[in-house]
């Protein structure tokens, strides 16, 4: 698998040191290592033996038992929300932007997505029984207190030093995955027109988290975002509505949503809905630059973007301006979901009667949250990671530096796993049941 050249040195060093110590390097080391991809062969090639990999390959969990059986319900057609007309201000205190218009009733799409869901919680990884004392008051995600013995169950490690250095302008950070699904009967889309819907999956991490070896454990705090426009915005004129389809959900539930299904219709007989295909994995951050918030990302997989990623608007590094919709304000017919997010009063009060406000992580905890993602002309990541005055005074890391450090750790983690199949290991999917990470049509 093609990765950054700096990852070679880091992976070689991992043979003579523990995963935790190799990841917890000084600021200058991590900054120098992150941010540059290594050019190499095709990302679709079978993964080779990884340097520093320990032990035998872990068995992957299949989804045969969780996949829906043949359905007799006839799902409705895909919907597509039209662009929001260009309007500059969407931050706090700004006028509400024009709403999207849908070609079809979004309720039909929501109903089709809802068919066959399994809301049962996914089984969490069990502790392996081996504990070790962490340096720098580090703890794992099992809830152990700083300075106490901790049991490592996945790649996520919490560090007090990392938390103290992470800027407050990073409201949330984590792992991000991009998927798309072909239209009914189209297992392998040949262009954007063959895509039925695109998805973004967010897996939030603690503010002080760093990444070691292994897949990401399931804390049941995952989010699945749906993009009716199927592509991502690439300019300020692109203003696409996105909504939270699943919030605070388990990977078992997401597996069901991403899997293939067959069903019968009265008019066309047997129909096949293909499984969603991964097209990217990396790290993300929801950042604040004062009156605006952004969803920024850096891709780890594929190591080099190709025609598929370019076709849907993915870049190696990018960000989107974000603005959340007030569910109590009116919208054009077909522009909103039939049922808006059910926010508590304290959140509704934050809108102060306005139609829009900057997106914050807590809004993503509610299903049916609707928000705009708006493209940038260029230097998208730089615009989303401008250091804020308070963080500079406190000698915090710059937001981009923290993102690059996290991405470098993710790259080493991916290299020690199964390359492109890391997406499946992380999500608890069987690679036999889903298309490989797609880079070409």
């Amino acid at each position: 698998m093609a990765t950054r050249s700096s990852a070679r040195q880091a992976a070689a060093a991992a043979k003579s040191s523990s995963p935790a110590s190799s990841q917890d390097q000084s600021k200058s080391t991590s900054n120098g290592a992150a941010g540059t991809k290594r050019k190499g062969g095709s990302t679709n090639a079978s993964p080779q033996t990884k340097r520093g990999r320990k032990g035998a390959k872990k068995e992957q969990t299949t989804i045969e038992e969780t996949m829906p059986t043949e359905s007799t319900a006839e799902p409705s057609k895909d919907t597509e929300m039209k662009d929001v007309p260009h309007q500059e201000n969407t931050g706090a205190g700004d006028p509400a932007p024009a709403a999207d218009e849908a070609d079809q009733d979004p309720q039909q799409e929501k109903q089709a997505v809802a068919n066959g869901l399994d809301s049962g919680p996914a089984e969490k990884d069990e502790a392996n029984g081996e504990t070790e004392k962490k340096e720098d008051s580090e703890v794992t995600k099992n809830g152990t207190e700083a300075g106490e013995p901790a049991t490592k169950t996945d790649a996520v490690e919490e560090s007090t030093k990392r938390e103290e250095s992470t800027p407050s302008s990073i409201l949330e950070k984590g792992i991000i995955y991009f998927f798309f699904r072909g239209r009914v009967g189209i297992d392998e889309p040949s262009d954007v027109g063959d895509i039925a819907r695109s998805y973004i999956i967010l897996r939030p991490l603690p503010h002080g988290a760093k990444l070691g070896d292994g897949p990401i454990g399931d804390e049941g705090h995952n989010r699945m975002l749906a993009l009716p426009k199927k592509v991502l915005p690439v300019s300020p004129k692109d203003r696409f509505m996105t909504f939270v389809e699943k919030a605070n959900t388990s990977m078992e539930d997401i597996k069901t949503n991403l899997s293939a299904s067959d069903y019968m219709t009265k008019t066309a007989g047997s129909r096949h809905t293909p499984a969603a295909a991964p097209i990217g994995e990396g790290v993300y951050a929801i950042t604040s630059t004062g009156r605006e918030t952004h969803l920024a990302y850096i891709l780890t997989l594929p190591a080099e973007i190709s025609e598929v990623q370019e076709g849907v608007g993915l870049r190696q590094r990018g960000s989107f301006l974000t603005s959340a919709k007030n569910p109590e304000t009116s919208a054009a017919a077909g522009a909103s979901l039939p049922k808006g997010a059910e926010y508590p009063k304290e959140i509704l009060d934050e809108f102060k009667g306005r139609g829009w406000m900057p997106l914050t992580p807590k809004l993503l905890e509610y299903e049916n949250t609707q928000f705009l993602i708006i493209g940038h002309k260029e230097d998208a990541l730089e615009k989303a990671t401008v250091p804020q005055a308070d963080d500079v005074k406190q000698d915090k890391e710059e937001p981009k530096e923290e993102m690059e450090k996290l991405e470098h750790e993710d790259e080493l983690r991916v290299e020690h796993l199964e390359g492109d199949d890391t997406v499946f290991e992380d999500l608890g999917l069987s690679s036999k049941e889903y298309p490989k990470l797609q880079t070409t049509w």
Side-chain angles (χ1 to χ4, degrees):
M1 181 188 65
T3 58
R4 276 199 301 269
S5 59
S6 60
R8 293 175 174 169
Q9 300 174 354
K15 293 182 178 181
S16 59
S17 63
S18 65
S21 61
S22 66
Q23 297 300 326
D24 196 19
Q25 299 176 356
S26 67
K27 173 181 175 182
S28 60
T29 303
S30 61
N31 289 344
T36 305
K37 295 289 178 182
R38 187 183 78 193
K39 296 183 180 179
S42 168
T43 57
N44 291 328
S46 299
Q48 302 298 320
T49 303
K50 308 298 178 184
R51 292 168 294 174
R53 184 179 175 187
K54 300 180 181 179
K57 176 182 177 181
K58 296 181 180 179
E59 295 184 2
Q60 298 181 0
T61 304
T62 65
I63 61 167
E64 295 177 356
E65 296 182 357
T66 63
M67 289 179 62
T69 56
E70 182 174 276
S71 171
T72 58
E74 179 177 354
S76 54
K77 300 178 181 178
D78 300 312
T79 62
E80 178 176 323
M81 291 186 178
K82 294 185 177 180
D83 304 353
V84 173
H86 179 61
Q87 187 171 340
E88 289 298 327
N89 297 323
T90 57
D94 297 328
D100 288 355
E101 295 180 0
D103 293 334
Q104 301 178 35
D105 187 356
Q107 176 60 38
Q108 294 180 329
E109 179 64 25
K110 287 287 289 182
Q111 182 61 40
V113 172
N115 288 338
L117 294 182
D118 179 7
S119 59
E123 294 183 0
K124 297 184 180 179
D125 295 335
E126 296 294 335
N128 58 17
E130 180 182 354
T131 60
E132 57 182 14
K133 194 75 174 179
K134 297 292 181 181
E135 297 179 358
D136 301 328
S137 301
E138 294 173 2
V139 296
T140 65
K141 291 192 70 177
N142 291 332
T144 53
E145 296 296 333
E148 294 183 358
T151 303
K152 188 176 185 301
T153 60
D154 57 50
V156 180
E157 304 169 8
E158 292 189 54
S159 166
T160 300
K161 285 187 176 180
R162 187 67 163 267
E163 183 171 10
E164 292 173 349
S165 66
T166 300
S168 61
S169 59
I170 292 183
L171 307 180
E172 179 179 283
K173 68 180 184 180
I175 305 296
I176 189 170
Y177 311 86
F178 297 89
F179 281 79
F180 64 42
R181 188 195 302 275
R183 292 188 178 277
V184 173
I186 302 178
D187 287 291
E188 298 181 1
S190 58
D191 56 38
V192 172
D194 289 340
I195 299 175
R197 175 148 293 186
S198 296
Y199 302 95
I200 297 175
I201 295 173
L202 301 180
R203 306 193 72 181
L205 299 176
H207 207 59
K210 63 180 184 178
L211 297 176
D213 284 342
I216 304 297
D218 186 9
E219 296 294 321
H221 189 47
N222 311 294
R223 310 186 190 109
M224 185 173 183
L225 313 179
L227 287 73
K229 287 297 294 183
K230 310 163 192 177
V231 296
L232 297 163
V234 295
S235 77
K237 294 182 179 180
D238 296 333
R239 307 159 68 82
F240 301 156
M241 189 70 84
T242 304
F243 66 88
V244 179
E245 188 163 297
K246 304 294 292 185
N248 289 318
T249 189
S250 68
M251 291 317 305
E252 196 72 18
D253 200 357
I254 289 181
K255 283 193 289 185
T256 303
N257 279 267
L258 296 177
S259 64
S261 64
D262 295 292
Y263 57 93
M264 296 294 296
T265 67
K266 294 180 180 179
T267 55
S270 178
R271 306 296 298 274
H272 172 72
T273 299
I279 58 173
E281 182 271 353
V283 301
Y284 79 92
I286 297 175
T287 65
S288 172
T289 54
R291 297 176 66 248
E292 299 174 336
T293 56
H294 308 255
L295 174 59
Y297 67 89
I298 303 177
L299 287 185
T300 302
L301 295 172
E304 294 181 2
I305 62 173
S306 189
E307 58 183 3
V308 168
Q309 287 72 35
E310 292 176 348
V312 299
L314 264 179
R315 303 291 181 260
Q316 204 71 56
R317 297 174 169 219
S319 75
F320 314 108
L321 186 66
T322 57
S323 186
K325 182 181 181 299
N326 185 341
E328 293 192 338
T329 59
S330 60
S336 298
L337 297 174
K339 182 180 180 181
E342 297 181 353
Y343 298 139
K345 184 179 183 300
E346 55 267 26
I347 290 182
L348 291 173
D349 289 344
E350 292 182 25
F351 283 94
K352 298 180 180 179
R354 299 185 299 266
W356 303 84
M357 76 175 186
L359 179 72
T360 56
K362 62 185 175 183
L363 298 179
L364 298 177
E365 303 301 315
Y366 298 88
E367 292 184 3
N368 296 334
T369 284
Q370 298 175 75
F371 61 97
L372 287 175
I373 53 175
I374 305 169
H376 290 293
K377 288 183 178 179
E378 55 188 18
D379 299 328
L381 185 63
E382 282 70 21
K383 291 181 179 179
T385 55
V386 176
Q388 300 302 292
D390 289 344
D391 291 329
V392 173
K393 290 179 181 178
Q394 298 178 39
D395 198 27
K396 301 274 190 178
E397 292 264 18
E398 292 189 2
K400 187 170 71 170
E401 290 177 343
E402 170 58 27
M403 288 191 67
E404 288 175 339
K405 184 185 295 185
L406 188 65
E407 194 279 330
H408 177 55
E409 294 167 352
D410 188 48
E411 187 176 21
L412 294 177
R413 182 183 73 89
V414 165
E415 185 172 283
H416 295 164
L417 288 172
E418 291 298 320
D420 291 353
D421 284 348
T422 299
V423 175
F424 303 108
E425 291 196 49
D426 274 355
L427 303 182
L429 308 175
S430 169
S431 60
K432 296 180 181 180
E433 303 290 341
Y434 292 83
K436 293 291 185 181
L437 190 143
Q438 191 166 338
T439 58
T440 58
W441 296 114

